[in-house]
Amino acid sequence: MDVENKQVKSYKKIVVLGGDGFCGWPTSLYLSNLGHDVVIIDNLSRRNIDNELEAESLTPIQPMGIRLTAWEEVSEKKIGFYNIDIAVEYDELLQIINKEQPNVIVHFAEQRSAPYSMKSPKHKRYTVNNNLNATHNVLCAIVDSGFDIHLVHLGTMGVYGYGTAGMKIPEGYLDIEVQTETGERVEQQILYPTNPGSIYHMTKSQDQLLFHYYNKNDNVRITDLHQGIVWGTNTRETKLDERLINRFDYDGDYGTVLNRFLMQASIGYPITVHGTGGQTRAFIHIQDTVRCIQLAIENPPHREEKVMIFNQMTETHQINDLARLVSEITGGEVAYVSNPRKEAAENDLHVENNLFLSKGLEPVTLDEGLFQEVTDVAKKYKHRADESKIPAKSTWTKEQQPGIPRGL
Ligand code: NAD
């Protein structure tokens, strides 16, 4: 067996919703390698969106059957798989939960691209229907099943909005003081007010209310992970066999900013910065994503406890600085294009992330991981790149211009 043996003491049955995706696949392998019994549910909608956009992962991802067989050969561990649409097929979802009786459900199964969610009325409506029904069906099925299942959900830092007036964004909740009618000062804790910047982020903000309600009404144990932008491609497990490789999106809709920069620089395409590049964002490496999920699973909230919210990010950076850093490593040229999003030209971002650090997270930093990512992935697979898919063509309003460099 090639896999480093890292068995945990208490095995759990874990259902991973969206386990074929960018975060879900490496998480499924990581949890399986720890000795947990993992079952994936995924309707392969992300692969269908690739067909719709005529864009492909830069890395050659294999069909689900080949991925699962490869994992069994490499690790001697089996991962189960059901192909259902959790936003639509409620009865099937409930049946699977009743049959598998998981201790934990990890929920990645949502449409996760902000630009895709802004593409057209059809895409806005798809994102709302898919994401809200997916989350609600899972919560409803957990209660319907009668099992005490811990739900770990992947939310986003984007629900907070990006203007915090210099304050550190707390982990989900804000302590406030209100004045009663009699003039008394009373302290309260409220969900940090959301300020979504796209239809996608709006669905993630609504997810928070669904969690709040089901936690309050049915005592469902929920951990909501407000994740930063994920960078990197592979984890220790996905590197074990070429057939296990993770996806790497670089197209204008799904390519997340840092990975897109790395790929652009590797093929000699200008590193395109939207607007002034003064936007500050939160980041996390994919290896830390999977570790954070493990920490969330190992530290569930108690049955009567409120929804536990972690800020799952390790660094914040201004987009300009990232572009400069990638340019220094690769020699690529930086080009400024119009911003297809409706957002402030510049923002500060200060984030609290003590919960994961206090539980033992040792983050992969940009300085150590970036160069390796360029050589191991972006350069290795650059022959698969289709330049025509790079520009950001989805705009936030009809008046805005797509982010296409002059002359291309
Ligand atoms: P992804 O699109 O690669 O994966 C999502 C998976 O869910 C896909 O395999 C898709 O087929 C599946 N899916 C979607 N709707 C489904 C449905 N109705 N029924 C069954 N399966 C369904 O996305 P990702 O990058 O892995 O993101 C996973 C989660 O993490 C998302 O919820 C996203 O909001 C969150 N997140 C991602 C990032 C990031 O940078 N990638 C950052 C913050 C938060």
Side-chain angles (χ1 to χ4, degrees):
M1 188 166 70
D2 300 313
V3 164
E4 188 194 344
N5 207 337
K6 295 191 285 177
Q7 307 280 325
V8 281
K9 278 191 220 100
S10 59
Y11 304 145
K12 292 194 162 107
K13 169 65 83 72
I14 302 174
V15 168
V16 180
L17 307 172
D20 185 45
F22 172 55
C23 299
W25 175 243
T27 301
S28 301
L29 300 188
Y30 184 77
L31 296 175
S32 169
N33 192 34
L34 287 175
H36 295 298
D37 186 358
V38 176
V39 173
I40 289 174
I41 298 182
D42 199 300
N43 67 344
L44 309 183
S45 54
R46 181 66 193 86
R47 292 177 187 253
N48 289 335
I49 291 175
D50 270 352
N51 294 338
E52 174 198 339
L53 300 175
E54 299 184 3
E56 267 189 310
S57 160
L58 185 69
T59 47
I61 53 167
Q62 297 302 314
M64 196 49 163
I66 295 183
R67 281 184 150 184
L68 295 173
T69 308
W71 179 242
E72 209 177 324
E73 285 173 16
V74 169
S75 70
E76 294 170 12
K77 292 180 173 113
K78 228 181 158 74
I79 293 180
F81 173 54
Y82 297 92
N83 179 344
I84 65 156
D85 183 337
I86 63 161
V88 176
E89 296 173 274
Y90 177 79
D91 292 339
E92 289 76 358
L93 174 64
L94 180 60
Q95 265 173 27
I96 297 169
I97 293 177
N98 283 334
K99 181 171 165 230
E100 301 289 349
Q101 303 190 8
N103 310 97
V104 181
I105 295 181
V106 187
H107 175 25
F108 294 101
E110 293 181 79
Q111 191 301 98
R112 71 95 168 136
S113 156
Y116 184 85
S117 78
M118 303 303 289
K119 226 176 168 47
S120 74
K122 185 175 143 198
H123 295 90
K124 290 179 186 177
R125 294 172 57 244
Y126 164 71
T127 303
V128 170
N129 287 335
N130 187 64
N131 293 4
L132 293 187
N133 282 319
T135 299
H136 185 253
N137 280 350
V138 177
L139 289 161
C140 192
I142 288 177
V143 175
D144 209 354
S145 74
F147 298 121
D148 177 15
I149 298 169
H150 173 204
L151 180 67
V152 177
H153 171 254
L154 267 291
T156 162
M157 288 294 305
V159 295
Y160 296 124
Y162 292 112
T164 57
M167 173 194 154
K168 256 193 166 185
I169 297 180
E171 309 220 49
Y173 297 95
L174 186 64
D175 293 321
I176 58 161
E177 202 182 77
V178 291
Q179 191 167 349
T180 65
E181 279 187 84
T182 57
E184 211 184 326
R185 310 286 305 178
V186 178
E187 288 184 359
Q188 283 193 358
Q189 199 178 52
I190 58 167
L191 264 177
Y192 191 93
T194 63
N195 183 11
S198 72
I199 293 288
Y200 155 70
H201 290 106
M202 197 260 300
T203 64
K204 294 297 213 183
S205 303
Q206 306 253 22
D207 279 350
Q208 291 201 98
L209 280 182
L210 292 170
F211 297 140
H212 178 73
Y213 174 77
Y214 272 91
N215 168 265
K216 185 181 69 167
N217 197 63
D218 301 283
N219 291 332
V220 180
R221 290 187 295 143
I222 301 167
T223 304
D224 196 8
L225 304 173
H226 289 184
Q227 185 170 239
I229 299 171
V230 182
W231 67 281
T233 314
N234 283 309
T235 56
R236 279 185 284 279
E237 288 73 28
T238 66
K239 279 188 205 152
L240 289 170
D241 187 304
E242 177 90 16
R243 293 170 295 170
L244 299 173
I245 200 163
N246 197 19
R247 61 178 307 132
F248 181 116
D249 295 306
Y250 66 89
D251 64 278
D253 284 328
Y254 275 88
T256 50
V257 64
L258 190 46
N259 280 8
R260 180 170 64 75
F261 282 176
L262 294 173
M263 176 275 178
Q264 288 173 283
S266 300
I267 63 165
Y269 188 97
I271 301 167
T272 43
V273 172
H274 296 159
T276 62
Q279 312 91 332
T280 307
R281 297 284 187 264
F283 292 88
I284 182 166
H285 189 271
I286 187 75
Q287 186 70 58
D288 290 333
T289 289
V290 302
R291 169 86 174 119
C292 285
I293 307 278
Q294 177 199 359
L295 291 172
I297 289 171
E298 287 173 359
N299 296 280
H302 301 295
R303 187 101 172 122
E304 305 292 326
E305 209 175 325
K306 67 176 190 281
V307 176
M308 198 182 262
I309 300 177
F310 291 70
N311 288 338
Q312 184 164 315
M313 50 69 67
T314 56
E315 294 175 72
T316 57
H317 292 281
Q318 209 181 48
I319 301 301
N320 259 332
D321 297 336
L322 286 183
R324 251 187 311 246
L325 188 62
V326 174
S327 167
E328 274 163 27
I329 296 176
T330 60
E333 158 214 353
V334 178
Y336 288 85
V337 295
S338 55
N339 190 352
R341 299 183 183 220
K342 195 168 176 177
E343 61 185 355
E346 293 199 4
N347 71 286
D348 262 351
L349 185 63
H350 308 277
V351 184
E352 201 76 72
N353 67 341
N354 288 337
L355 283 176
F356 273 129
L357 296 178
S358 69
K359 294 191 188 316
L361 178 69
E362 288 166 17
V364 177
T365 60
L366 232 58
D367 352 328
E368 51 183 284
L370 211 52
F371 187 71
Q372 198 186 1
E373 194 65 29
V374 176
T375 40
D376 289 1
V377 179
K379 283 203 174 139
K380 182 166 178 201
Y381 296 105
K382 67 178 188 183
H383 60 280
R384 290 175 46 86
D386 176 352
E387 281 190 21
S388 71
K389 299 298 170 195
I390 295 175
K393 293 182 185 149
S394 303
T395 57
W396 262 231
T397 64
K398 285 182 183 155
E399 295 73 38
Q400 281 170 296
Q401 300 296 317
I404 302 177
R406 221 171 287 139
L408 287 173

